[in-house]
Each structure stands twice: as structure tokens, then as C-alpha cells.
Amino acid sequence: MEKMTRLRPSPTALLNPRCDASFKALFTQETKESHAALQDFISTLLGRQVKEVKLVPNEPPVDMIGEMQMCFDVSVIFGDDERADLEMQARQQEYDYAVRAETQAARLLNLSARKGKNWKVAKVYQISVLDFHFDKDDKSALEWYTMRKASGGKLGERLNVIFFDLLKIKKLLGTPPEKLTKLEKWGLFLSYAEDETKKDYLESLILSEEGIMNAKTALCKVSQDDINWAIENSIFKARMDYNTGLYNAEQRGLRQGLEQGEHKAQIETAKRMLEAKICSLEQIADMTSLSIEEVKGLQKQG
């Protein structure tokens, strides 16, 4: 039997939780550690104990393989039918992120309102963990927005948008755990979990919080699966290829060059996945956005 290529760099290597696919895998396993980590993280973000967190399926489901088309949000219901949509955003997008977040929160509120009685509608939270600055001038790592009138008075507080800025947390690296808040510890864990050069410091931080200990256990488990490494590697490479292609195309003023560069990158990614032999042809087609015919053609060339 031909030996399968292993994608995990080392037996102890961990996936990067700032990759949206790995972030979702961390918090959506059907294990007590993953569930406890999710509950603790949401409780920490909201500043109150959240109980009975229930995952809500979104499309496509967590076990489907895709690339940019896949939904990596973590959707939950908790407490008195409150809803939250939790997502990781590793880079600033070209669109207006504030409008996107507000629109996503409005959609959550619409879902909640359909089940409300006499306008007793549960609160909703659109939560974005950011590896970039949304508001660099705001010194707080946790930015919380809700509807208020011009003078500052609150409205119904049903619609909430929350940004957790990891860049404002990263500078705390090396701070003794006893001098950190729980939110800061979570931020440092998400920022450096995969960095083996920070292992000793992170272990002292992890051991100080049960919720983060559960997150480490959950991350270790998903990091044992080569398919998760294939997804993460593909996403990071696709983003790098896209950014490089976009820059070159802008410099030349040729949109056609960008499209050709994207297609070439998709072909190269498909070739590597065919060599690894861990995905079906249909899965490779989904991940690279190539047609199944193109993937079959590459297999024959192989």
C-alpha cells in the first residue's frame, strides 16, 4: 500500500485558530471540551455566564469541504433564546466591514423576531474576532455597538455588534497570567496557539483558565486530522495568491492578469491535493473552484 502523505508539519503542530476554517473546527466538535470552550469564550466576550449553548447548523454544514464559498461562522442559541453568530476575520476586506456586521446582526434579529411574542424578542449578537484593527483609535480590545439615540440613551438593546481586536491583545505577550484578564488570556491563546516558540508561556496561561484548557484540548484533536490541514493550507495559499495577483494586476492595470493568476493558483493547489491523496475529486473541485472535468484532466496528467 502506498504511504499517505502527511500534511501536519510535526506531531505536535497545531492549526492556526485565526484561520476561519480552523476557528470553526475548534468550536464545533461534538466533544465536551469543544462545547465547554465555546460556552466559556462566549461568556467571556459577553461578560456574563452563558449556559446551555446550542449550535445551530448553517449552510454548508461543518463537515463539508470548500474554500471561499464555505460558511465558517459559528451560530449558537443560548439563555432565553438569545442568538449569536461568531466568526473569525483574519484580514481587512475591501468592503465596508461595519455595514456587513450590522447587516448580519439585522438578519439574526429578524430570525429572533419571527419567534417572539408581543415584541418580546431575544437579544442577538454579531461577534467578529478580528486580526486587524476596525477602530485603531479605540484602545479597548472589545468594541461593543448597539442602537442609541444621539444623546446616548439606549433603544431596545436587541441588536448588538461586537468586535474583538486581537492586535490590541498581542502586545501583552509575556505578561504574567495573574496580571491578565480572562478576555486577554483568550486573545493571547487565539493569537499564538500554533506558535511553538511561545509554547512555554502559553502553557502557563492555558493552565490558569479551565475554558482555555478545553480549547487547547479541542484544538489538539482537530489538528490530528490531515483534512483540516489541507483546508487551512488551501485557504492561506489562496489568499496569498489572490493578494499577490491583485497587486500585480493593479500595477499593470490588467484585470485579465489577475484572473489568469487565480486560475493558475487553483490548478497548482489541485495538483498538490491530488498528490496528497486525502480528498476525493469532487472535494478538490469544491476547494479550488475548478470544474470536476479540469480536476480529472489534472489527475490523468499526474
Side-chain angles (χ1 to χ4, degrees):
M1 181 181 294
E2 186 176 354
K3 186 177 179 180
M4 180 183 293
T5 302
R6 306 300 297 183
L7 298 181
R8 193 179 189 185
S10 74
T12 59
L14 297 178
L15 292 163
N16 183 347
R18 297 179 309 288
C19 172
D20 44 13
S22 302
F23 181 83
K24 180 165 186 173
L26 163 63
F27 286 118
T28 59
Q29 298 174 66
E30 293 183 359
T31 65
K32 63 179 182 179
E33 291 84 5
S34 180
H35 184 83
L38 176 60
Q39 181 176 323
D40 188 81
F41 185 47
I42 293 177
S43 295
T44 303
L45 288 169
L46 299 186
R48 60 183 173 87
Q49 185 62 38
V50 171
K51 298 181 179 180
E52 299 179 5
V53 174
K54 178 183 178 182
L55 285 168
V56 180
N58 49 22
E59 294 297 332
V62 65
D63 57 350
M64 284 186 65
I65 296 176
E67 195 173 352
M68 297 305 181
Q69 296 82 13
M70 185 168 180
C71 177
F72 292 120
D73 295 4
V74 179
S75 298
V76 298
I77 297 178
F78 53 90
D80 298 325
D81 290 327
E82 292 184 336
R83 290 175 177 266
D85 187 84
L86 180 65
E87 62 178 344
M88 168 62 68
Q89 287 290 334
R91 59 174 182 162
Q92 178 63 279
Q93 303 288 347
E94 297 176 7
Y95 50 73
D96 190 327
Y97 196 78
V99 174
R100 177 189 184 277
E102 195 171 32
T103 302
Q104 292 290 84
R107 288 175 177 171
L108 280 178
L109 188 61
N110 184 47
L111 286 174
S112 182
R114 292 177 186 177
K115 298 183 178 182
K117 296 180 180 179
N118 299 322
W119 297 111
K120 293 182 179 179
V121 181
K123 293 182 179 181
V124 299
Y125 306 86
Q126 177 63 32
I127 304 171
S128 299
V129 182
L130 307 177
D131 204 24
F132 60 87
H133 290 308
F134 173 73
D135 184 355
K136 191 173 184 179
D137 295 330
D138 188 333
K139 301 305 180 183
S140 175
L142 192 69
E143 303 168 38
W144 192 315
Y145 299 85
T146 189
M147 295 187 70
R148 295 173 179 265
K149 61 181 179 179
S151 61
K154 299 177 182 179
L155 196 58
E157 295 188 282
R158 291 298 178 265
L159 190 151
N160 298 270
V161 175
I162 300 173
F163 298 137
F164 183 30
D165 187 336
L166 296 182
L167 293 187
K168 295 173 183 175
I169 297 287
K170 287 183 176 181
K171 62 184 179 181
L172 298 174
L173 181 68
T175 304
E178 62 271 16
K179 295 185 178 181
L180 295 169
T181 66
K182 193 173 184 179
L183 182 68
E184 291 169 341
K185 293 177 184 179
W186 264 109
L188 287 171
F189 171 75
L190 293 173
S191 296
Y192 297 105
E194 82 288 0
D195 189 343
E196 294 192 302
T197 66
K198 310 292 190 301
K199 183 177 179 180
D200 291 342
Y201 172 73
L202 281 182
E203 282 302 315
S204 66
L205 184 151
I206 290 167
L207 290 173
S208 70
E209 294 291 345
E210 184 177 358
I212 304 179
M213 288 177 63
N214 284 319
K216 170 70 180 299
T217 300
L219 187 60
C220 287
K221 182 174 181 180
V222 294
S223 297
Q224 295 172 12
D225 194 338
D226 265 352
I227 196 64
N228 291 324
W229 287 98
I231 295 172
E232 181 173 293
N233 292 343
S234 178
I235 288 173
F236 279 134
K237 184 179 184 301
R239 288 173 178 169
M240 291 176 66
D241 288 339
Y242 177 81
N243 290 336
T244 301
L246 181 60
Y247 174 79
N248 292 335
E250 288 175 345
Q251 293 298 306
R252 297 192 306 267
L254 299 175
R255 189 68 186 179
Q256 182 180 0
L258 173 61
E259 294 171 351
Q260 291 174 348
E262 285 180 334
H263 190 250
K264 182 178 179 180
Q266 291 165 344
I267 290 174
E268 292 303 315
T269 299
K271 286 181 179 178
R272 286 196 300 275
M273 295 193 72
L274 285 168
E275 292 174 357
K277 297 181 180 180
I278 61 172
C279 296
S280 68
L281 299 184
E282 291 77 10
Q283 290 172 333
I284 294 174
D286 285 342
M287 184 173 291
T288 60
S289 297
L290 295 175
S291 67
I292 189 64
E293 289 74 19
E294 287 178 287
V295 176
K296 289 180 179 179
L298 292 175
Q299 184 186 45
K300 291 178 181 179
Q301 295 174 14

